[in-house]
Each structure stands twice: as structure tokens, then as C-alpha cells.
Amino acid sequence: MLLGAYDYLEKPVSIEKLCNLLKNAYEALKKKQLEKEKSKKLREKLELNLSISREKILYDLLRGKEVFSKLGGLISEYDIDISDRMVLVGLIEVGNFDATSKEWIKSGKLGELIKKIREVIHSISKGYENLICNTIDMDIGIIGVILQPVNENKMKKFEDLSNDFFEVISKEIKRNYNVRVTVGIGNIVSCPNDISLSYMGAKSALRHKYILGGNKIINISQFSGNNSRSLLYPVEREKILAEYIMAGDDRALKLAENTFDDIAAGGQDNLKRIAFATGQLIFNISHFIDIHYGFINKIYDFSEFTNINMSDFNSKEEIKAYFIKFVTSVLDVVKEYKPAQSNPLIKKACEYVLGNIEQDITLLSIAEYLNISKNYFCSLFKQETGYNFLEYVTKIKMEWAKMLLKEGNYKTYEVSEMLGYREASYFSRLFRKYTNQSPAEYRKSFQNQK
């Protein structure tokens, strides 16, 4: 029994007693295994909670939501290696949020890559005996690195050591994972209470990639105050401009002009810098719209603008004209497919259609969604937009059909199913009426162009 026997049987052994004993032994072992697994899960959950709490504390510190001097107990409780001395923040951006990066995000590979890179950072930090290193996941694809000297060194020595550390990390990541790495480094601050200032400096440095180019290390200290302001890319206005566009607001055009003029001034009339920053601005706006207004890619093809090489333009005026053309083009599409935005009821109906293009949308279904009578809605929609509602729905569906057929990856019946039509023949008749071509003819015309 001391060696682990469960029980014993006396001779002569009966089959019934043996079966009962084996059954009881099985149940006991099963219970023991379940308890073991439960204990393992509890440990894993505890470790996860500790990890999340640790990241939360660091995240709040960086964003200025907490003051280090008030976190003494929590710092020690969660084993966070931060001391009351000089500190510097760096932000490491992996990838460039291009098509490849988007696929990484969808497949979960980016998360795995970030985890591996954090391990690389901590492995390298072990070779820097005079540095304390903490890492934290920030925005998607961005790792925050918090550095401190082990002892109170001179600021210049700590700065040189930190710069060397980021150089080694950048080279190691590029060599091992073959990805673009852009590092933004903030200023050194005297104590963790001011760590948010270093973090803001690192964010500012990282934004300079839109002017100076990415895949490099950018230290905010390399810019004087005036030069930093003149070079800074207007990242805050990306979101505002995108939202103006998606609201069908004509103020988008004036804001686009002012934003470009600021980029040109920041680029100090260097055509390559202006071209790079404008191309990035177009990409970022397209990316923002794609994330927050997913329907737009079903009725509008951004590739005409995002795939062009802006450095092929010969003057600042040409680049500006092309950028304004991009803004105008998207704005026109929004006005056409989200008409009468001043009427909240019609706006809600249009947004429903655009967000559910793949569904079989009828007057009855939209009236029930809006909780009004279908006759009243039908009359109101026509009055506000000039469209018959079902014609509007068909128009949206046919535009998406055109996008799908252009890709050339789907058969006619597959496109029909994706649009919510039960019969491919009915879809084909609608498509011909809308485009004067059959789906097959339309697809073939684009294949011939390729």
C-alpha cells in the first residue's frame, strides 16, 4: 500500500469483486487526474492573471494614468523590475501593416512573432549587465521597451548603452525573422514618475518614419525643438480626415489640402520625403477606413491609389493633385452609397444595407429593423435619396459583384450565393441589366486586361 497499491483482494478472487475493484480504481485515478489538471489550469490562470496585471501596471505608467511613487506595493507584488532612477522608453514596430502584415494578424502569426521577439529582447538584455529591461505589448505589432541603468550612471553613458542595445535588437530581429523593424526612442527622464514623457517622445520619434522612412532607428533626441515640430507627420489628422470622408463631409477636402501642405512643409520641399509621407497617408487612411468601415472594400477599390509609387511624380503639385483626387474619389463614393446622412433613419437604413450586403434584404426586413411601416419607409427613402429602396439594395449588391468578379476567384453561382441570391440565373439577369454584360463577360474583360 505504501508503494501505491490502490486496494487488495483476498483469494479466492471472484470476477464480480475484481470488476468492482477495477472500476473503483479507475474512478479514483480519474478523479486524481482531474484534480491534477484542475490544479495545472489554476496555476496557468494565476500566471496569466499575474502577467495581465503586470502589463496593466506598466501600461498605466507609460500613459501617465498612475504615478510610480504610489505603486510601491504593487511593483513588488507583481515582480516588476523598475527602480526610482533614470528611465528611457523605446517602441519597436514590427512590420509595416501592409498586405503581409494584415495576413499575419488574421492568421494569428503576428501574435506569435511578437512573443518570440519579446523573448529575443530579454535574451539580449541578459548580455547587458548594466541595464534593466522590461517589455510590454502596446498597439498591434508594437512592443514597448523600458530601460533603466542598474546603477546611477551618467546620463550620457546610459544613453549610449541604450542606443547600442536597440541597435543590436534591431539587427537580431531582422536577421532572424526577415521583417521590417522601426524603433522610436524617447528622451531619458530622471525618474519613473515622468516615464510618460519618455513614452510620448518615443511615439513622436516613431511617427517620424512617415517623413524619414521606416525600417530604421529614430531617436527623438536627434531633433531640435523646431526641427522636430517641422518634421512631425500629422498622424492625429489621419483619423479626422478619414471620418470626414466617411461622413460625406465636404470639409474633408479643405482638411486634405491643409494636411498635405503641412506634410510638404515638414518634408522641407524634399520631393522624396513628401512622396513617401503622402503615400503613407493614403495607405493609413485606406487602412483606417478598411478597419472601421469594412463595407467600403466591397464597393470601392483602393488599389488604384495604394499601389501607385508616389516617387514617380515630378513635382509637389502633382503629388498634391493626386492626393486630393484620392480624397475626392472616396468622398464621392460615400455620398453616392450613403445618401441623405442628415436623416438619422435613412442613414441607419443605408448603414444596415452596407453592413449586410450578403443578406436577402427586403422592404419588410428593413422596416422591421427600423421598427416603422414599410410603406412609410419606402416613401421616405425615395423622398430623401431619390432612389427606390430595392433599387438601392440592388445597386450595392451589383457593385460588390463587380468587385468579386474582377478578382476572378469566384464562379458566377458562388458570387450569387455570396450576395444572398437563391438562384444564379436571377442574379445573372440583374447583373446584365445593371452592367449590360453577363457576369462571365464582365469577368473575362478583366482577365483579358491582365
Side-chain angles (χ1 to χ4, degrees), residues 301-319:
D301 187 2
F302 282 109
S303 62
E304 175 190 350
F305 295 97
T306 55
N307 290 345
I308 195 165
N309 186 354
M310 302 295 285
S311 61
D312 290 340
F313 290 103
N314 297 315
S315 68
K316 178 175 69 176
E317 290 70 28
E318 283 185 28
I319 298 173

Side-chain angles (χ1 to χ4, degrees), residues 30-292:
K30 185 178 177 182
K31 184 179 178 180
K32 188 176 180 181
Q33 180 64 25
L34 287 173
E35 287 175 351
K36 186 177 178 182
E37 289 176 1
K38 186 177 179 181
S39 177
K40 181 183 177 184
K41 286 180 181 178
L42 284 173
R43 285 198 308 273
E44 289 174 350
K45 188 175 181 181
L46 179 61
E47 288 173 4
L48 179 62
N49 288 339
L50 284 171
S51 175
I52 291 171
S53 299
R54 191 181 295 116
E55 296 259 321
K56 177 72 166 56
I57 291 168
L58 290 174
Y59 191 71
D60 286 348
L61 266 177
L62 289 178
R63 295 172 67 86
K65 289 185 177 181
E66 295 287 355
V67 180
F68 176 77
S69 55
K70 294 182 180 179
L71 294 173
L74 288 174
I75 293 289
S76 57
E77 181 181 347
Y78 290 106
D79 195 26
I80 298 172
D81 196 3
I82 290 185
S83 306
D84 192 10
R85 54 172 63 104
M86 287 187 295
V87 62
L88 176 145
V89 177
L91 295 175
I92 300 174
E93 182 184 73
V94 179
N96 195 36
F97 292 100
D98 49 14
T100 303
S101 298
K102 285 178 72 175
E103 285 303 315
W104 287 349
I105 294 169
K106 289 178 183 177
S107 64
K109 290 181 180 178
L110 184 62
E112 294 173 13
L113 179 61
I114 294 298
K115 184 179 178 180
K116 290 177 181 176
I117 288 174
R118 285 184 72 173
E119 290 172 358
V120 167
I121 294 169
H122 285 288
S123 175
I124 290 173
S125 71
K126 291 176 182 177
Y128 286 77
E129 296 178 353
N130 293 320
L131 283 180
I132 299 169
C133 174
N134 285 280
T135 62
I136 174 175
D137 280 344
M138 303 300 294
D139 295 329
I140 296 174
I142 297 180
I143 302 168
V145 179
I146 302 169
L147 293 181
Q148 286 191 293
V150 171
N151 302 306
E152 279 292 357
N153 295 326
K154 290 183 179 179
M155 185 177 288
K156 185 67 171 69
K157 185 176 180 181
F158 175 44
E159 183 180 21
D160 291 343
L161 195 61
S162 300
N163 288 338
D164 183 72
F165 178 71
F166 283 114
E167 285 278 0
V168 172
I169 286 173
S170 179
K171 289 176 182 176
E172 190 70 11
I173 295 170
K174 289 175 184 177
R175 180 167 61 249
N176 289 343
Y177 300 104
N178 192 30
V179 293
R180 289 172 59 86
V181 179
T182 306
V183 182
I185 303 176
N187 287 317
I188 296 172
V189 292
S190 59
C191 66
N193 277 346
D194 296 328
I195 195 172
S196 59
L197 299 177
S198 184
Y199 168 62
M200 292 301 293
K203 283 182 69 176
S204 177
L206 199 57
R207 290 172 187 166
H208 279 71
K209 69 175 184 177
Y210 298 127
I211 299 292
L212 304 175
N215 206 30
K216 63 176 67 172
I217 294 175
I218 306 170
N219 197 320
I220 196 65
S221 65
Q222 72 190 78
F223 305 105
S224 64
N226 292 333
N227 195 30
S228 178
R229 283 195 294 274
S230 67
L231 276 174
L232 190 58
Y233 175 85
V235 69
E236 291 82 4
R237 274 182 276 173
E238 283 178 358
K239 181 182 176 182
I240 299 172
L241 182 52
E243 289 177 343
Y244 275 3
I245 293 170
M246 295 311 295
D249 192 330
D250 286 328
R251 287 181 296 173
L253 293 172
K254 185 63 178 176
L255 180 60
E257 286 191 23
N258 292 340
T259 302
F260 179 85
D261 290 343
D262 286 348
I263 283 176
Q268 300 172 344
D269 286 331
N270 182 309
L271 201 60
K272 286 187 177 179
R273 286 181 178 177
I274 295 170
F276 180 86
T278 306
Q280 192 65 49
L281 181 59
I282 289 174
F283 176 84
N284 290 351
I285 290 172
S286 305
H287 182 64
F288 179 87
I289 291 173
D290 182 25
I291 291 175
H292 294 88

Side-chain angles (χ1 to χ4, degrees), residues 412-414 416-417 421-433 438-439:
T412 299
Y413 76 88
E414 291 175 320
S416 176
E417 288 175 358
Y421 292 115
R422 295 176 185 174
E423 295 183 8
S425 57
Y426 176 66
F427 159 67
S428 295
R429 286 198 302 274
L430 281 178
F431 191 84
R432 181 180 284 280
K433 184 178 178 181
S438 71

